[in-house]
Amino acid sequence: MTSKAAIALALLEGKVLSIKNGFDLFGVTNIPREIGRSIEREEDGGFGVQVSRVERNGFSRYGQPVRWMEYRLNRTDYNKGGIEKMKAYVKEQMSKVPPKTEREKKLIK
């Protein structure tokens, strides 16, 4: 499965993505760029959906203030067509490689 399909699947499952878990889950070091290019912008090969961004503030383990963004897929009528494209793309990508877990088998169905 491609990183684009993995990100699309995570968004479809309702997961909240950030730079940290984007690297941990997908190996993508710049999740904001990938969401914009691979998911949102249709002219760049994306799906034409709108992803919401929520700014978060906190402190690092050393007490320094930090700021990051969290991304989630909006389940609105505006995104309905793009969500269907995302589902079809993920299904196509998952069918190219045999499923390794029971969860993947269920997702393909």
Side-chain angles (χ1 to χ4, degrees), residues 1-12 34 37-39 44-49 81-97 107-108:
M1 181 179 341
T2 63
S3 63
K4 177 179 175 179
I7 292 169
L9 178 60
L11 289 170
L12 287 169
E34 293 303 319
R37 181 176 62 191
S38 300
I39 304 298
D44 288 343
F47 304 106
V49 296
I83 288 172
E84 293 303 317
K85 289 179 192 175
M86 288 172 74
K87 288 178 182 177
Y89 181 77
V90 168
K91 190 171 184 177
E92 172 193 332
Q93 291 298 312
M94 290 185 85
S95 66
K96 290 182 179 179
V97 178
L107 287 172
I108 290 175

Side-chain angles (χ1 to χ4, degrees), residues 71-90:
Y71 305 90
R72 72 178 41 87
L73 182 63
N74 299 323
R75 300 268 179 181
T76 62
D77 288 339
Y78 176 79
N79 284 342
K80 193 177 266 188
I83 288 172
E84 293 303 317
K85 289 179 192 175
M86 288 172 74
K87 288 178 182 177
Y89 181 77
V90 168

Side-chain angles (χ1 to χ4, degrees), residues 14-81:
K15 292 184 180 174
V16 178
L17 303 181
S18 67
I19 289 176
K20 182 181 186 316
N21 67 11
F23 183 73
D24 291 342
L25 296 173
F26 318 115
V28 174
T29 57
N30 194 345
I31 199 81
R33 178 189 65 216
E34 293 303 319
I35 286 178
R37 181 176 62 191
S38 300
I39 304 298
E40 290 183 317
R41 288 193 299 271
E42 215 166 355
E43 62 272 6
D44 288 343
F47 304 106
V49 296
Q50 187 175 12
V51 176
S52 64
R53 291 158 171 78
V54 177
E55 186 175 315
R56 298 291 185 195
N57 296 300
F59 293 93
S60 72
R61 68 176 83 170
Y62 305 109
Q64 297 297 314
V66 294
R67 185 175 53 193
W68 68 94
M69 300 295 276
E70 292 181 342
Y71 305 90
R72 72 178 41 87
L73 182 63
N74 299 323
R75 300 268 179 181
T76 62
D77 288 339
Y78 176 79
N79 284 342
K80 193 177 266 188

